[in-house]
Every structure is written in C-alpha cells, then in structure tokens.
Amino acid sequence: MTQQQPATTTLRVIPLKPQQQVGGAVIDDEGREVPITEHMIQRACNELEKSFSNASQHG
C-alpha cells in the first residue's frame, strides 16, 4: 500500500487594471448599470477595514 500525497493547490493572483471590469455591475440612482471595477472593490475593502479598526478601538 502506498500513501497518497495531499493535494496542493497553487493560487495565482493576476492583478487587474484598476478600471477593468471584474464581472458585475451596480445600478445607480438613475437606473443605469455601472460596471464594478477593481478600484471600487479595493476602496470598499479599505473602508470596511477602517470601520473594523474603529469599532475595535471603541468597543
């Protein structure tokens, strides 16, 4: 009997251009579809991170 090696997964991150679409859209106040960009996601993540650090300082 031979032992099987655990499967390893290599994750390769490919940076996108800041305004390249990432496959989704939001609808603005006037009903227009606005493509979601890498920059929008990064900004949202940064704001979320700030809100977590502010919450941990106050609670």
Side-chain angles (χ1 to χ4, degrees), residues 6-55:
T8 58
T9 302
T10 302
L11 179 62
R12 187 171 149 213
V13 177
I14 301 170
L16 300 174
K17 295 176 187 169
Q19 294 304 315
Q20 183 175 351
Q21 251 186 289
V22 292
V26 294
I27 307 298
D28 71 8
D29 293 338
E30 296 177 18
R32 295 179 298 210
E33 211 173 82
V34 180
I36 297 171
T37 64
E38 176 73 10
H39 181 261
M40 293 165 78
I41 293 171
Q42 289 295 328
R43 190 174 62 207
C45 289
N46 289 336
E47 289 177 19
L48 185 59
E49 189 174 332
K50 271 195 263 184
S51 72
F52 278 132
S53 63
N54 287 342

